[in-house]
Amino acid sequence: MGTEFLNIKDSVDAKNLIQEYFNKYYEPEGEEIPIEDSNGRVVFEDIYAKIDFPPFDRALKDGFAIKSEDSFGASEENPKVLKVIDALEAGSYSKKTVENGLAVEISTGSPLPEGADSVLMFEYSLKNGDEVELYTSVTPTQDVGKKGSDVKEGNLLIKKGTVLSASKIGVLAAQGFTTVKVYKKPNISIISTGNELTELGEELKPSKIYDVNSYMIKNAAESIGASGTIKGIVKDDYNQLKSKILECLEEYDILICSGGTSAGVGDVLKHVLDEIGEVKLHGIAVQPGKPTILGVIGEKLVIGLPGNPVSSLVIFNVFVAPAIRSLLGLKESSLKKVEGKLTKRIHSAIGREQYQLVKYDDGKVEPIFKDSGAIFSLARADGYVNVSKNTELVEEGEIVEVNLFN
Ligand code: AMP
Ligand code: MG
């Protein structure tokens, strides 16, 4: 059951096409989740402050709440003396009013009593029974955090599209939010196809290899914020693949398969998609990763990645991840980019884009020359360099941009 790559697209067209179909069939959705589970999630709508923070004028130091004018002129030699009328701990407030000549002992975080306009630090005072000597002067509002000085009710607190992290979750807690509306994770099912594939944990028989892609793609999907579920290995068998695809699409939004996407005997994915859906893309002019498929079944997308682990990871990162990230309100790539100097020249073929695996170390970029089926190049690779389709040679010593996997 051979077939041809009838209409190979170049990388830009392929990328646009994949994005177009994501836009057509999926829409970002929001869900409300507890803030303690929101690390790494993306905020779905602008969040505004519910309350002023601090919620009241409060002391920023331990000391005495006073009228600042009562301290004017105070010094070591010439202290001013005030009467202490109350003592406050954090979490309590005074019912008394600070008039001229009076002070309230206060600790950091406590509300400033009525009448007081400043806090004089303990270090510049000496308490003696119900009196306190002040050895320095303070200015109005000194060591007072004014109500709403940090955030005012109604201020924009966190923008839509922000990725939540510990500090931002802290801000939500300060505002009393128990839940936060975030982008729902796209729900991806993952299958690997190939008669030679063996489940981890099972004995490796002659001519068999372990399934790599399921684990790699699940984790690549999760590292961009999606949820990935491994649905197992399927043989290169038309009926088995067809029923597995239908089963996955019942439950999940997106299906990512790998293997069996070429134009050879036993490459059945395209035929299955032709029957139960429609193939929108078969073949991209890139190296590695030419045998890539995009199919539509009903209102859902099926992506067929090449079986070679290196190819499947690179194609996922370059073509699929940006589309998935758009459903999460995120910018195109999560891969960090660094620049470095090439230690060996890279040859490439005109007419196709090449993704060259490289090791990156302290500004040095070393190409890893292995065929795309070589797994251990992945263990050494820190990322890849993108060689455009119009470039035949990148010379040793040239400064190149590396897309880092981590
Ligand atoms: P295919 O795309 O099915 O022609 O596979 C290309 C190469 O990738 C073959 O050497 C396969 O054995 C290998 N391969 C396919 N799927 C996987 C997988 N899930 N894990 C590891 N290697 C794979
Ligand atoms: Mg195969």
Side-chain angles (χ1 to χ4, degrees):
M1 229 193 324
T3 182
E4 300 278 317
F5 293 100
L6 282 179
N7 185 11
I8 295 182
K9 292 246 183 318
D10 85 359
S11 64
V12 175
D13 292 344
K15 201 163 156 184
N16 290 340
L17 189 80
I18 291 170
Q19 184 65 60
E20 216 173 275
Y21 277 102
F22 268 81
N23 294 345
K24 180 167 177 189
Y25 291 113
Y26 304 110
E27 217 175 306
E29 284 177 65
E31 63 175 338
E32 201 81 23
I33 61 166
I35 67 163
E36 64 259 45
D37 301 328
S38 68
N39 189 32
R41 301 295 296 269
V42 186
V43 173
F44 191 72
E45 52 198 14
D46 289 346
I47 301 173
Y48 294 91
K50 292 201 285 195
I51 52 172
D52 283 345
F53 196 84
F56 42 80
D57 292 355
R58 62 176 181 172
L60 297 179
K61 297 275 163 56
D62 292 340
F64 292 90
I66 63 172
K67 282 189 184 299
S68 51
E69 63 199 48
D70 284 350
S71 71
F72 293 168
S75 66
E76 295 273 350
E77 302 76 42
N78 197 4
K80 302 273 177 175
V81 181
L82 302 179
K83 184 164 184 238
V84 180
I85 53 167
D86 206 354
L88 286 186
E89 283 169 5
S92 58
Y93 68 98
S94 181
K95 296 185 181 75
K96 301 196 172 141
T97 301
V98 174
E99 309 280 5
N100 282 111
L102 304 181
V104 166
E105 196 177 336
I106 196 165
S107 48
T108 305
S110 293
L112 205 68
E114 201 57 51
D117 68 354
S118 54
V119 175
L120 187 136
M121 286 168 72
F122 266 127
E123 287 82 339
Y124 302 107
S125 67
L126 184 68
K127 199 178 164 201
N128 236 326
D130 66 349
E131 284 187 346
V132 61
E133 292 189 342
L134 313 181
Y135 301 121
T136 188
S137 62
V138 291
T139 54
T141 76
Q142 186 161 338
D143 286 326
V144 175
K146 298 293 278 182
K147 175 179 193 297
S149 59
D150 192 359
V151 179
K152 285 212 165 39
E153 182 188 333
N155 280 171
L156 179 60
L157 207 57
I158 299 180
K159 276 183 88 137
K160 170 182 176 149
T162 304
V163 179
L164 290 170
S165 60
S167 58
K168 280 157 188 128
I169 293 167
V171 171
L172 294 175
Q175 285 285 319
F177 288 100
T178 54
T179 61
V180 56
K181 194 166 187 184
V182 294
Y183 282 83
K184 224 170 164 173
K185 294 184 178 190
N187 209 346
I188 302 173
S189 53
I190 297 159
I191 61 180
S192 287
T193 64
N195 293 340
E196 73 282 28
L197 300 180
T198 305
E199 301 268 5
L200 295 188
E202 282 177 14
E203 190 197 340
L204 205 56
K205 302 254 172 63
S207 81
K208 307 287 179 190
I209 58 171
Y210 284 120
D211 172 18
V212 174
N213 296 345
S214 292
Y215 302 91
M216 214 165 48
I217 298 307
K218 173 189 164 75
N219 284 284
E222 291 188 345
S223 67
I224 59 164
S227 131
T229 304
I230 294 176
K231 299 297 283 181
I233 295 169
V234 184
K235 293 259 185 291
D236 293 312
D237 175 89
Y238 186 93
N239 290 319
Q240 204 185 329
L241 185 59
K242 177 176 153 187
S243 67
K244 189 68 165 191
I245 289 175
L246 291 171
E247 177 198 319
C248 288
L249 289 181
E250 285 265 308
E251 211 183 322
Y252 297 86
D253 303 329
I254 299 165
L255 170 62
I256 299 183
C257 312
S258 69
T261 54
S262 272
V265 186
D267 291 327
V268 291
L269 177 62
K270 175 166 184 299
H271 302 293
V272 173
L273 291 173
D274 276 338
E275 186 206 321
I276 58 175
E278 224 178 305
V279 172
K280 300 294 184 185
L281 168 73
H282 188 203
I284 310 178
V286 295
Q287 160 64 33
K290 178 181 166 197
T292 297
I293 292 181
L294 174 71
V296 179
I297 297 173
E299 307 257 277
K300 292 182 177 178
L301 296 181
V302 177
I303 289 141
L305 300 174
N308 276 325
V310 172
S311 315
S312 80
L313 184 63
V314 170
I315 294 297
F316 178 85
N317 277 317
V318 176
F319 293 94
V320 185
I324 293 173
R325 286 172 64 81
S326 71
L327 293 179
L328 283 157
L330 291 171
K331 65 176 168 43
E332 191 173 284
S333 175
S334 62
L335 300 188
K336 275 214 187 87
K337 292 174 195 251
V338 288
E339 288 197 335
K341 207 181 227 181
L342 207 58
T343 63
K344 284 178 208 146
R345 57 159 55 169
I346 302 173
H347 290 275
S348 180
I350 293 281
R352 63 177 195 199
E353 190 160 300
Q354 180 171 326
Y355 309 109
Q356 174 63 54
L357 288 190
V358 296
K359 208 173 144 41
Y360 175 83
D361 187 21
D362 200 22
K364 285 203 284 286
V365 180
E366 182 197 330
I368 301 171
F369 297 121
K370 287 259 173 106
D371 66 83
S372 52
I375 295 284
F376 286 100
S377 54
L378 278 177
R380 292 188 61 221
D382 296 306
Y384 65 90
V385 169
N386 196 330
V387 183
S388 84
K389 68 173 183 180
N390 302 317
T391 305
E392 210 171 0
L393 198 62
V394 191
E395 285 292 353
E396 176 186 337
E398 272 191 47
I399 300 297
V400 292
E401 191 176 60
V402 180
N403 300 276
L404 293 175
F405 286 136
N406 298 307

